Amino acid sequence: MRIAVLGGGTAGFIAAAHLTRYLPQAELLHIFDSRIPIIGVGEGTTPRFTTWFEEITGLGFSHLAEHCGATLKKGSRYEGWGCAGTDFVHRFQPARLIAYHLDAAAVVHVLAEHVRATRIDARVDELRNSSNGIHVRLDNGTEYPCDYIFDARGFPRGDTEDVIRLDWIPTGRATIRRLSPQGLSGLTRIVARPHGWIFQIPLRDWTSCGYVSNPNVSSDDEVAADFTAFLHDDGVFTWEQRVAPSFPNFMRRKVFDGRVFWIGNAASFIEPLEATTIGHAIGQVRSATRWISEVGKGRCADDEEIGAFNSMTLSYMCCDSLFVAWHYACGSRWDTAFWQHARRGIERAQQNPLVRAHWPQFEKYVEAGQALPGRALSRCEDQEGWDRDFFPLLRLYQPFGNFSEFNFAQIGHGIGYYKTVRDVTQSSIVEADS
């Protein structure tokens, strides 16, 4: 069986390393164009990466710290979010879970050491189906017949009916600056600003700082001016200007067509409020590898199998996109055009038939979170105490996408959603009585 991985970014190397580990008998090709640079910004991860990295490489945090400037991450600190504009922490649950901040460009080189594949430096011109497989044609005319393709070449090119735009998430551009080290807090900092929000990811040797905005609402000049003002208020007066990439929040209707698995940014992108992108790539690769080894075994999937695989992936992405959109539901300390648009994201999500199917389950998790002590969860760092005081409160044992009711509790209480709902309900009762 021959499998080709296309793409030399984080998702491409995650796929190649995972296939090396779990399909050792397959002939593996890793094809990417070295002329395409990797965007070298600092990345936050979720605990899913921590577990996966050790499982695949046998290495731990100390190796990533040495080679990727990694630091430990316990969660995210939100500043100025919600109806009260107060600060709160969203901590990983349970308390023992940890993730990393790391240099995305450097981690690719670490993963490369754990890939057993024939590496081909070329541009892919075409993927062509045949009766017994799929052919990869390169820019030099060479063709490779394969049984399966993992396509990790980045965002879809051009408009296609296969793409579902997640317009309930209100952002589309990130302006990145590199700062000197700002201290190791163990948390990603996420600060609400007039045109969106600013993240700070504390690496060992530098801090990745980005302003996430909506280019249809705010101009680049407005964002740059407010970015500078924020840094000056923080006492930062020098930085290295990096990239300013635009991005679509989207998901493919079909991430598997029987021969090709789309992964990473080629499959979906949900704004990284919860460091979702790397986690999604790992989940996509796990599911695809499991299907190949247990079901496919070299043949093309039938229509029923394709439908089931895509339905599972769409459901997961819908759930995660709803949770991310919910962060904006109570606005922030800034009553600006961006935040007015952002607050209505949950309403826009309900207009989508795919999302509506998950709405009752979403409301069940929101309700479960209301009954939990969100602030206390955010403060708990002791696993023994978590097992004693919080685990018995769990009622919904299946996560909503990637998130449990403990995640819902921290965000819901943090942004003031439950207080807002109670106030609206009580006002309605008073009006009815009068």
Side-chain angles (χ1 to χ4, degrees):
M1 182 167 51
R2 176 185 279 174
I3 302 173
V5 175
L6 312 181
T10 307
F13 274 93
I14 284 173
H18 193 87
L19 290 165
T20 296
R21 173 70 171 80
Y22 285 106
L23 291 178
Q25 303 307 315
E27 179 187 355
L28 186 60
L29 308 179
H30 192 184
I31 305 171
F32 58 92
D33 187 346
S34 63
R35 294 168 295 184
I36 300 175
I38 298 171
I39 299 175
V41 301
E43 296 262 17
T45 66
T46 65
R48 176 176 284 185
F49 177 84
T50 307
T51 302
W52 177 86
F53 181 77
E54 184 171 349
E55 171 190 333
I56 297 301
T57 68
L59 303 172
F61 171 69
S62 60
H63 191 87
L64 283 176
E66 179 182 355
H67 295 277
C68 304
T71 61
L72 295 175
K73 177 184 176 183
K74 302 174 184 177
S76 299
R77 177 181 177 83
Y78 291 80
E79 301 177 21
W81 287 68
C83 56
T86 53
D87 300 347
F88 67 93
V89 170
H90 180 196
R91 192 177 298 278
F92 299 130
Q93 302 292 326
R96 68 174 179 275
L97 292 184
I98 202 77
Y100 303 140
H101 302 116
L102 47 79
D103 181 342
V107 80
V108 162
H109 298 297
V110 173
L111 292 176
E113 297 173 0
H114 299 271
V115 172
R116 173 202 47 79
T118 300
R119 296 183 187 175
I120 301 169
D121 190 344
R123 187 185 73 242
V124 174
D125 271 359
E126 183 184 16
L127 301 182
R128 180 174 56 81
N129 285 304
S130 68
S131 59
N132 60 350
I134 184 164
H135 291 247
V136 181
R137 187 166 68 84
L138 306 181
D139 55 355
N140 61 10
T142 305
E143 285 199 9
Y144 293 93
C146 298
D147 294 288
Y148 301 108
I149 300 290
F150 282 68
D151 192 340
R153 289 179 291 168
F155 296 131
R157 297 154 185 82
D159 293 328
T160 170
E161 293 181 358
D162 191 40
V163 167
I164 302 169
R165 299 291 178 183
L166 308 181
D167 65 354
W168 45 95
I169 298 178
T171 55
R173 195 191 305 281
T175 302
I176 310 298
R177 295 176 179 178
R178 180 177 290 188
L179 317 180
S180 60
Q182 301 297 299
L184 305 179
S185 65
L187 300 169
T188 296
R189 187 183 181 196
I190 302 179
V191 185
R193 296 297 296 181
H195 305 292
W197 52 275
I198 289 173
F199 66 79
Q200 287 190 334
I201 295 176
L203 303 176
R204 182 193 61 195
D205 301 320
W206 46 279
T207 296
S208 180
C209 190
Y211 200 127
V212 183
S213 61
N214 186 323
N216 296 320
V217 176
S218 304
S219 70
D220 289 347
D221 288 343
E222 288 174 317
V223 170
D226 189 60
F227 202 174
T228 297
F230 167 80
L231 292 175
H232 284 178
D233 288 345
D234 255 17
V236 178
F237 298 96
T238 59
W239 54 79
E240 178 188 347
Q241 190 69 43
R242 302 289 287 177
V243 292
S246 296
F247 55 84
N249 290 291
F250 81 100
M251 55 187 177
R252 280 185 183 269
R253 293 182 188 275
K254 184 183 288 187
V255 297
F256 178 44
D257 71 356
R259 291 290 186 184
V260 178
F261 296 93
W262 285 271
I263 62 169
N265 291 348
S268 61
F269 186 86
I270 296 178
E271 166 198 289
L273 265 175
E274 296 300 332
T276 53
T277 307
I278 291 177
H280 286 159
I282 291 170
Q284 291 155 3
V285 171
R286 280 194 189 280
S287 297
T289 305
R290 189 178 302 117
W291 187 89
I292 291 171
S293 62
E294 297 177 3
V295 182
K297 299 180 179 179
R299 65 172 177 83
C300 184
D302 62 33
D303 289 344
E304 184 177 348
E305 291 166 336
I306 293 170
F309 192 96
N310 288 314
S311 177
M312 174 191 67
T313 304
L314 271 178
S315 175
Y316 189 90
M317 299 304 298
C318 280
C319 293
D320 275 7
S321 73
L322 265 176
F323 183 75
V324 170
W326 191 48
H327 287 65
Y328 297 94
C330 294
S332 77
R333 63 187 290 254
W334 307 96
D335 186 20
T336 57
F338 172 87
W339 286 98
Q340 291 163 12
H341 172 69
R343 281 199 304 267
R344 296 191 294 270
I346 287 292
E347 298 172 18
R348 293 192 296 275
Q350 292 182 71
Q351 307 306 311
N352 185 283
L354 280 171
V355 173
R356 276 201 302 271
H358 299 282
W359 191 258
Q361 187 185 19
F362 173 73
E363 289 189 313
K364 183 168 68 173
Y365 276 79
V366 170
E367 182 180 352
Q370 183 172 4
L372 295 169
R375 296 282 182 174
L377 278 164
S378 298
R379 290 191 295 267
C380 180
E381 298 188 57
D382 171 52
Q383 183 62 38
E384 184 177 341
W386 190 93
D387 290 338
R388 181 187 65 246
D389 299 332
F390 298 111
F391 181 72
L393 303 177
L394 191 67
R395 295 294 177 266
L396 306 174
Y397 291 93
Q398 283 291 112
F400 183 79
N402 193 49
F403 303 101
S404 75
E405 64 229 68
F406 291 140
N407 301 113
F408 277 81
Q410 293 177 89
I411 296 299
H413 287 292
I415 64 176
Y417 183 84
Y418 299 123
K419 182 179 186 300
T420 302
V421 170
R422 284 198 299 271
D423 289 348
V424 170
T425 304
Q426 290 169 357
S427 298
S428 300
I429 294 171
V430 170
E431 290 174 6
D433 290 343
S434 59

